[in-house]
Each structure stands twice: as C-alpha cells, then as structure tokens.
Amino acid sequence: MSRNAELFERASRSIPGGVNSPVRAFRSVGGTPRFVARAKGPHFWDAEDKRYIDYIGSWGPAILGHAHPEVVKAVQEAAVHGLSYGAPTEAEIEIAELLIERIPSIEQVRLTSSGTEATMSAIRLARGATGRNKIIKFEGCYHGHADSLLVKAGSGLLTFGNPTSAGVPPEFVAHTIVIDFNDAQGVQEAFAAHGKDIACVIVEPMAGNMNLVKPVPGFLETLRSECTAHGAVLIFDEVMTGFRVGPQGVQGITGVTPDLTTLAKVIGGGMPIGAFGGRTDIMQNIAPMGAVYQAGTLSGNPVAVAAGITTLRLLGEPGFYDRLGVQTRKLTEGLMQCARAHGVPFSADSEGGMFGMYFREQVPKGLNDVSAGNIEHFKTFFHGMLDQGVYFAPSAYEAGFVSCMHDDAIIEATLKAADHVFKTLN
Ligand code: HOZ
C-alpha cells in the first residue's frame, strides 16, 4: 500500500472521510488523496516525496507561491511576540488601512478568521441595517457554510450530488431566494415581487465555486441598479477573487461598486483570515457601534495579519497582476491548443491568476453549463495529470490558481504533460 493510501486509511479512522474539507477526499474523481508533506514556490511534495506542480495553491491564497521567504519571515517575527492577544494591535489598523486604500468601495472593514465568517457577518449586517429578512443568492455561487446559504450551494456539495445540506432546518433558508447566475431578468422579477423585503443580494461577482464562471455584460450592473432602486445592500463575495483576479478584485475590473465586500484567502497570505467591509453608514451598525453582533477571539490574529500585510505589500509591486495574467493565459491557451490538436472538446477561461477548464466546447455561463461538461474526460484528465506530477483541483466544479512562481518552465512542463494526457482522451 502506498504511503498516501496508508495515511488516508489512518485519517479515515479519526477524521470523517479522512479530510477536514470534503473536496479534498477525491470522492468525485476517485483514487487516493495526496497528503502534502511540504511545499515551496509552485510545487508541493506528497507523503511519498513525489513532487507536483500545484494549481490549487491552497484554493487561492498562495498567489506568491508556497512559503514565500518574506511572508515566512513576517510570520516568524510576529510569532515571537505572541500568537494571539484577544486585544487590539497596531498591525490590525495597518491591514485595515491597506484594504481601504486598495479597494475604493471599502470605507471601513472588520477582520474575521475565515471567509465563511465574513459572508455570514456581512449578511447579518445587511439584514440588521435594512431591517429586512430576505436575501438573494445565485445557483452555483458558494459563500461558505452558514446555514441560510446552504441552498443548492456549489463546490463540495455538488460534488456529492447533494444540493442542500442535512441539518439545515427549512425555516433557516425560507428567506433565501436562489436565482440562476447571470439571470438578470430573474433578479428583476424577484425585486418586483419582494423588493421591500429584500435585505441584500450576495454574489460571487466572478463565480469560482462552480469552476470559474464570469458574469455576462449587464448582469452585475442589474444587481447594482436593482439594489439601489429598492434600498437593498449589494454584497460582492470576493473571498476567492479579491486580490486574485486583479488589484481591486472583480469590482476593479467591471467598475460595478458593491455596498459591502467580503474577503479572505489572499489577504491572509496562507494564514486563516477573513474580512468584510464597505460603506461606513452600513458598517456603523456593527457592535459596539450598532445593534448587529459580530465578534471573534482570533479576529485580527497578529500572525495572520503579519502574513497578510506582507502579502499585500508584495502584490502592490508594479506589473504584478499583468505578469500573473500573462502566465495564466499561457496555461489556458496552451491547454486549449493541446485539446484541439487531439480533438478533445475543451474550453478554458481566466482572469488574473484564476482559471477554469471545461470539458465542453463553450465556456459556461452558469451551473447547468458546467454540469453539461464531460465528467469522464475530466476524471481521466485529472488522474493522468496527477500521474505526470501536475495537481489540479479534484473536482470539475472548482477553479484553478496560478502563482507568480509559475514561470515559463513550469507552464511548459504542464503543457507537455497535458499533451500526453489529452492524447489518451481521444
Ligand atoms: N470547496 C473549497 C474550495 N472552493 C475547498 C476548500 C478546501 O478543501 O480547502
């Protein structure tokens, strides 16, 4: 038995499914999860010391590559001074100021420990600020695992073919309206029917939890105009896209301004962190200023904040996102070329350092399109690439991530492996 298999068997005795987050279990692709022993730059090594080119990068945070020396140094230096205080620090102000400076729609921001906490809190805040109950979310968008959001949610749940989670009472999701992503008309109809009861619209402005799905022109603009017209709060969940697709997230690319934004992943540089922020008049409703409660012992954790500040500083270097976007496009265009050469129906898309691969001719516009991809081709491709030492997400419903350490040699090695694997799909 391989060392990875041994570890998986052992893990399965003490941890449900052997993993601490469902997609990692490889259920939708079959086979044995790789247990990571260490990582550096664009690579990680598994329990058998096999090296992989990593296109997950911790699902986004590793934008500078794994174990970037400056981020590691910042973490080490912060750790020496104590791991957690449960009291304010100057560094928290620094990261808040950095976020406000980088993302113009954020006037005030509060830190949490995860993206789930950030979205859950942003929704509570929207409800508290408006005095309304209903929320709109979109099919295939995933906003963490808070109860009211586990309605036909994407990612792990889809992978299990189970559109909602057990353990969520129907009453908890009774106020959640689910509309197809990119269905602007559906949004207009929902507002026409329930406008005065809708507290907020929450959206991944570029979806990353049903694979990468971009908004069609006019979709985000409709969300903005409907929210404005009906006094609802527009929340952009940029947990995945924030500082990943560009220096100001999707809002910087599309020019559509949300009222609140949620962030996580990249802003912690690999350490657990989340944040929600936006208009001051809305943010002032949070305790201790207002009546909306939100708190956390590890919120603003000094070690996570140190990693985040250093990461954000390095991302601010001129040309960073241009270079990242070029490398990511080299990958997606190269993959499409390989697939075409071998007659495999395939498409790909990217924005900044985030990409999608689809085993169908057209890039998807929503969840149904993603589900229409050839899942058998995906599985064969995934395992073929894994054998060749290239690690893509073990689910057709996840996006991929490129770091600034994925240089030409890494992309070429990936495409060489892909050429070999696409050949076997024909
Ligand atoms: N579904 C998560 C990403 N979209 C997976 C997170 C993890 O397993 O770490």
Side-chain angles (χ1 to χ4, degrees):
M1 189 188 275
S2 75
R3 179 83 180 125
N4 286 307
E6 263 172 35
L7 288 175
F8 191 40
E9 201 180 272
R10 180 174 151 210
S12 301
R13 286 197 289 274
S14 53
I15 304 171
V19 290
N20 282 310
S21 191
V23 176
R24 300 177 196 178
F26 275 33
R27 288 279 172 109
S28 76
V29 289
T32 307
R34 300 307 190 255
F35 282 70
V36 179
R38 66 185 197 282
K40 181 77 189 153
H43 294 117
F44 76 80
W45 286 259
D46 73 4
E48 286 151 39
D49 212 30
K50 176 169 170 168
R51 192 182 76 172
Y52 298 83
I53 298 173
D54 182 14
Y55 284 105
I56 296 185
S58 185
W59 305 96
I63 191 165
L64 299 170
H66 291 287
H68 188 286
E70 287 186 50
V71 179
V72 171
K73 185 164 167 264
V75 165
Q76 286 169 334
E77 283 173 3
V80 167
H81 296 296
L83 300 177
S84 174
Y85 315 123
T89 65
E90 187 171 343
E92 285 173 321
I93 313 172
E94 203 181 317
I95 196 168
E97 288 171 350
L98 262 174
L99 294 174
I100 290 166
E101 179 194 300
R102 299 280 176 89
I103 302 193
S105 71
I106 298 184
E107 295 168 358
Q108 288 204 321
V109 62
R110 179 158 282 181
L111 297 180
T112 62
S113 296
S114 71
T116 289
E117 271 185 73
T119 53
M120 182 185 80
S121 306
I123 286 172
R124 183 179 304 145
L125 173 59
R127 283 177 161 150
T130 58
R132 301 171 179 180
N133 290 334
K134 288 197 190 304
I135 65 172
I136 292 180
K137 82 172 282 290
F138 297 93
E139 186 81 289
C141 285
Y142 173 75
H143 306 287
H145 53 279
D147 282 345
S148 67
L149 296 169
L150 288 177
V151 200
K152 298 182 184 174
S155 189
L157 289 166
L158 274 177
T159 304
F160 284 107
N162 182 4
T164 55
S165 170
V168 177
E171 293 81 0
F172 284 31
V173 296
H175 295 297
T176 309
I177 300 166
V178 183
I179 298 171
D180 279 340
F181 188 73
N182 275 327
D183 180 6
Q185 196 186 327
V187 175
Q188 285 164 335
E189 286 166 9
F191 270 102
H194 303 287
K196 64 180 181 2
D197 299 322
I198 295 172
C200 67
V201 173
I202 184 164
V203 66
E204 287 182 272
M206 229 171 248
N209 283 287
M210 52 173 156
N211 211 322
L212 172 66
V213 180
K214 289 185 179 172
V216 297
F219 175 61
L220 297 177
E221 288 79 358
T222 302
L223 303 189
R224 179 63 279 170
S225 59
E226 289 294 318
C227 283
T228 303
H230 294 274
V233 176
L234 179 58
I235 305 173
F236 275 8
D237 178 350
E238 300 230 41
V239 162
M240 200 172 258
T241 54
F243 297 99
R244 180 33 95 174
V245 297
Q248 294 175 2
V250 179
Q251 49 199 281
I253 294 167
T254 60
V256 179
T257 305
D259 301 305
L260 294 179
T261 299
T262 58
L263 297 164
K265 301 202 192 275
V266 168
I267 66 160
M271 297 295 290
I273 206 167
F276 62 103
R279 279 170 37 196
T280 300
D281 62 317
I282 299 177
M283 294 299 288
Q284 286 290 309
N285 288 282
I286 302 167
M289 301 304 293
V292 178
Y293 193 68
Q294 184 275 332
T297 298
L298 293 171
S299 298
N301 174 269
V303 184
V305 165
I309 290 171
T310 307
T311 300
L312 290 174
R313 288 233 173 88
L314 291 164
L315 295 180
E317 283 172 7
F320 179 91
Y321 286 97
D322 292 339
R323 291 191 293 276
L324 188 66
V326 166
Q327 291 310 98
T328 312
R329 278 193 300 279
K330 276 185 197 163
L331 172 73
T332 52
E333 280 161 19
L335 288 172
M336 283 192 286
Q337 223 167 33
C338 276
R340 229 181 353 259
H342 296 294
V344 178
F346 180 86
S347 53
D349 203 357
S350 74
E351 192 69 54
M354 188 166 163
F355 66 91
M357 303 185 296
Y358 325 98
F359 284 84
R360 66 197 300 272
E361 296 285 0
Q362 308 285 327
V363 299
K365 292 198 167 64
L367 185 59
N368 288 341
D369 290 349
V370 176
S371 298
N374 186 328
I375 191 73
E376 289 311 316
H377 273 184
F378 169 74
K379 284 187 205 173
T380 309
F381 179 78
F382 169 80
H383 279 293
M385 293 302 280
L386 200 62
D387 287 348
Q388 302 272 322
V390 182
Y391 191 79
F392 287 116
S395 161
Y397 294 93
E398 298 285 358
F401 302 93
V402 168
S403 80
C404 65
M405 302 303 284
H406 288 73
D407 59 15
D408 284 350
I410 293 286
I411 305 288
E412 274 160 31
T414 305
L415 295 178
K416 194 168 165 219
D419 186 59
H420 179 78
V421 177
F422 274 124
K423 202 183 302 174
T424 68
L425 289 179
N426 193 328

Coordinates of all heavy atoms in Angstrom, one line a residue, residues 67 153 229 423:
A67 N 5.3 29.2 0.7 CA 6.4 29.6 1.6 C 7.3 30.7 1.0 O 8.5 30.6 1.0 CB 7.2 28.3 1.9
A153 N -26.2 24.9 -2.8 CA -24.8 25.5 -2.9 C -23.9 24.7 -3.8 O -24.2 23.6 -4.2 CB -24.2 25.6 -1.5
A229 N -32.3 50.8 -6.4 CA -33.7 51.2 -6.6 C -34.6 50.7 -5.4 O -35.5 51.4 -5.0 CB -34.3 50.6 -7.9
K423 N -4.0 13.1 -25.4 CA -3.9 12.1 -26.4 C -4.7 10.8 -26.0 O -5.3 10.2 -26.8 CB -2.4 11.8 -26.6 CG -2.1 11.1 -27.9 CD -0.6 10.7 -28.0 CE 0.4 11.9 -27.9 NZ 1.8 11.5 -27.8

